[in-house]
Amino acid sequence: MTVPLHPRMTIPAPVKVQAPGKINIHLGVGAANNGYHELATVFQALNLGETLTLIPGGTRTIIVQGRYADAAVPRDDSNFARRAVDLLIAALEGDRDVDVLRDLDIVIDKQVPVAGGMGGGSADAAAALVGAAHLVGGVDEAILHECAFAVGADVAFLLRGGTAIGHGRGEKLSPVLTRGTFHWVMATSASPLPTPDVYARFDELNPDPAPATVPDRVLTALAAGDPDTLAESAANDLTEAAVSFMPEIAEVMEAGRDAGAVLPLLSGSGPTIGFLARDAHHALDLAVLLQATRGVNEALRTTGPAPGAHIVDEG
């Protein structure tokens, strides 16, 4: 579908794209090298995601709406979605006609908490890449992956979705067999926790960390769809560092355990905490109890694994 502008010019119709949020089911952190830590992580995409609408023929405007529209989301060229599109333009320029991407307006329906370790900004970038690729008639997967990684380590995973192991900075991905649906309650905080600060504190607490690994039992539990085995083996190496900044994280984790959560798990570098429930009914009960817990801003129910960034509407 196209909208006529001139007898010799057309502008493609807007395209709407959805991308998931994420949780790190396991996050192993190794030593820093050239400013970046070696990671061994298991990502799972969540059905709590972002929706972007890319509108060609605009004025490079970014509009943020939705549940978290009032949060400090950049509206300029530093926005992850805009950066992703500009990187794709640079990657394709000279080989492809990319003029349709230069003046895109981007509307972000913000449904993932901001600065909570759930990858909302990364989801925006992944959605923008998929939508922009569609507008130019398709892009090689390797180019999309390169642009994704240039924006952030989580973006490449959110292009793919599902469940995957990430090595390096998280960009070297391998799919993970997962059976069944995992029910999560994500407990957010009213206070942000800057990622660089958490990693710097991790370095202080772990001057000689062991190599980052993913325990075999984590993968076995995911393949079996077994929450109890997963709870015995999954961990996040950044938890101690995050708690040193925000002691209430430990208090909320303990409240979740007392409320029957199978597994409390810091999401990324925090401060959001994911609580694994046994089923949908348990997740509902857990969310009600956590919502009344001191230190919890919101208790959001979601499930995983979810699909990666994908187009939901053309025009």
Side-chain angles (χ1 to χ4, degrees), residues 34 38 50 57 88 126 137-139 202 242 255 270:
N34 295 323
E38 184 71 20
E50 306 275 84
L88 187 60
V139 174
F202 172 85

Side-chain angles (χ1 to χ4, degrees), residues 40-125:
T41 187
V42 178
F43 295 109
Q44 184 163 92
L46 301 176
N47 280 307
L48 181 65
E50 306 275 84
T51 301
L52 268 66
T53 304
L54 277 60
I55 307 172
T59 57
R60 289 180 62 89
T61 300
I62 294 177
I63 299 170
V64 183
Q65 58 191 31
R67 186 168 190 164
Y68 300 102
D70 294 334
V73 180
R75 270 73 165 177
D76 56 17
D77 287 353
S78 67
N79 182 279
F80 273 20
R82 177 68 70 199
R83 285 173 57 191
V85 173
D86 287 345
L87 283 164
L88 187 60
I89 291 172
L92 297 176
E93 201 159 25
D95 295 326
R96 301 278 291 277
D97 182 359
V98 292
D99 286 346
V100 69
L101 303 181
R102 298 190 191 280
D103 298 319
L104 282 179
D105 289 342
I106 300 175
V107 181
I108 301 173
D109 183 8
K110 200 78 187 150
Q111 297 296 325
V112 176
V114 176
M118 292 180 63
S122 296
D124 294 341

